[in-house]
């Protein structure tokens, strides 16, 4: 049910803090993965005092490419030191943080359904931008503040667990590579190519009665890379 859905405009407002005193030269952009990233724009000779100054707890979004990317680049700034973003970005804050939790709001912005709704509201320009008024008309559920905090904590626990599992998998991969190196790339072991121990793409196929060198699979070494032994046998094709 959507009885508790409310328009964004009821809970957020635009802010316009400028880098007029040039307190920082750290220019950031926003990725479609909804994270702040170092800007790739060439700002040599650019007046950075015109850029918007963003600090902890503020949101910023790039409204200009939603129709093209089908996603709204939007992010919550969480660092203690300020940075600057493009003057074309929307920068906004939550009106009452006792009613709407900023992390809960950012979780809602990450939902694919939110991106689809933004894309639906884009204008008719080539890149398909979204206006501030249309952005504010998008609705989201606003449960009690305590419930929002519970949702945030549950989400954080899941993402932390995913990060832990990913770290464990990375460690297993590193261990596997180290074991491979120990088995096959030990110092002092001779190197060889496949063509030195086998016929690669032979010009003729084996025929019944011909003699060829064979390796019994049960005799292949478990350490090292060069098989030993092998014997000439008559090929018995059936």
């Amino acid at each position: 049910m959507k009885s508790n859905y409310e328009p964004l405009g009821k809970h957020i407002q635009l802010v316009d803090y400028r880098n007029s005193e040039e307190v920082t030269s750290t220019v950031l952009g926003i990725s479609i993965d909804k994270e702040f990233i170092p800007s790739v724009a060439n700002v040599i000779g650019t007046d950075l005092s015109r850029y918007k100054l963003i600090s902890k707890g503020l949101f910023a979004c790039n409204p200009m490419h939603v129709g093209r990317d089908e996603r709204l680049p939007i992010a919550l700034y969480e660092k203690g030191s300020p940075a600057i973003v493009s003057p074309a970005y929307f920068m906004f804050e939550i009106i009452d943080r006792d009613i709407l939790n900023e992390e809960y709001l950012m979780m809602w912005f990450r939902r694919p359904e939110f991106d689809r709704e933004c894309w639906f509201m884009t204008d008719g320009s080539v890149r398909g931008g979204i206006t501030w008024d249309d952005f504010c008309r998008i609705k989201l559920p606003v449960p009690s503040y305590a419930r929002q905090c519970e949702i945030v904590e549950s989400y954080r626990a899941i993402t932390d667990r995913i990060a832990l599992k990913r770290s464990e998998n990375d460690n297993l991969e590193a261990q596997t590579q180290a074991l491979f190196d120990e088995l096959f790339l030990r110092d002092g072991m001779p190197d060889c190519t496949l063509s030195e121990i086998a016929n690669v793409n032979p010009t003729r196929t084996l025929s019944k009665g011909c003699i060829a060198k064979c390796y019994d699979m049960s005799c292949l070494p478990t350490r090292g890379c060069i098989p030993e032994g092998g014997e000439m046998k008559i090929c018995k094709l059936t």
Side-chain angles (χ1 to χ4, degrees):
M1 296 181 63
K2 293 192 174 184
S3 58
N4 64 334
Y5 276 54
E6 299 177 358
L8 269 172
K10 181 179 178 180
H11 298 281
I12 61 174
Q13 61 186 5
L14 283 172
V15 293
D16 190 7
Y17 306 123
R18 298 286 172 155
N19 191 34
S20 55
E21 298 182 3
E22 299 189 8
V23 297
T24 181
S25 59
T26 303
V27 184
L28 299 179
I30 305 174
S31 70
I32 59 174
D33 294 322
K34 305 184 187 296
E35 295 178 349
F36 284 101
I37 57 174
S39 175
V40 296
N42 183 2
V43 295
I44 297 176
T46 303
D47 182 8
L48 297 181
S49 65
R50 296 178 54 251
Y51 276 56
K52 293 182 178 180
L53 185 67
I54 190 167
S55 57
K56 186 175 182 179
L58 296 181
F59 292 83
C61 71
N62 179 357
M64 297 176 289
H65 308 290
V66 184
R68 183 193 67 185
D69 299 331
E70 299 184 9
R71 300 180 72 177
L72 177 66
I74 187 169
L76 169 64
Y77 193 73
E78 298 179 288
K79 291 186 177 181
S81 56
I84 51 178
V85 296
S86 168
Y89 282 11
F90 293 152
M91 194 166 71
F92 59 94
E93 64 182 0
I94 294 175
I95 297 174
D96 190 343
R97 285 184 168 84
D98 292 329
I99 295 178
L100 183 60
N101 182 284
E102 58 191 25
E103 292 182 75
Y104 171 82
L105 179 57
M106 189 63 225
M107 283 177 54
W108 182 259
F109 289 154
R110 290 193 179 100
R111 299 176 74 248
E113 291 81 2
F114 169 78
D115 283 321
R116 283 196 291 270
E117 191 163 3
C118 288
W119 176 80
F120 181 77
M121 290 189 168
T122 55
D123 56 30
S125 64
V126 174
R127 294 175 177 173
I130 185 171
T131 67
W132 176 252
D133 289 340
D134 285 337
F135 180 70
C136 288
R137 278 195 284 269
I138 296 175
K139 293 185 177 182
L140 79 160
V142 185
S144 68
Y145 190 84
R147 178 56 181 158
Q148 293 176 43
C149 292
E150 290 176 3
I151 294 172
V152 170
E153 287 302 317
S154 299
Y155 177 80
R156 186 181 293 130
I158 293 172
T159 54
D160 288 347
R161 189 172 303 172
I162 292 173
L164 177 61
K165 293 296 184 182
R166 185 176 291 118
S167 175
E168 291 175 349
N169 290 341
D170 291 342
N171 289 336
L172 287 175
E173 183 178 358
Q175 292 176 21
T176 303
Q177 185 62 46
L179 180 60
F180 177 87
D181 292 344
E182 180 185 353
L183 292 175
F184 298 102
L185 303 176
R186 290 181 298 173
D187 293 340
M189 293 192 63
D191 294 329
C192 68
T193 62
L194 182 62
S195 61
E196 292 175 337
I197 60 172
N199 289 328
V200 181
N201 296 324
T203 56
R204 61 184 177 85
T205 58
L206 293 176
S207 58
K208 186 176 181 180
C210 71
I211 299 176
K213 194 167 187 177
C214 302
Y215 292 97
D216 192 323
M217 295 297 293
S218 63
C219 298
L220 291 179
T222 56
R223 301 180 69 87
C225 60
I226 301 179
E228 298 178 354
E231 58 180 316
M232 304 300 292
K233 289 185 179 181
I234 297 176
C235 181
K236 297 180 181 180
L237 297 177
T238 56

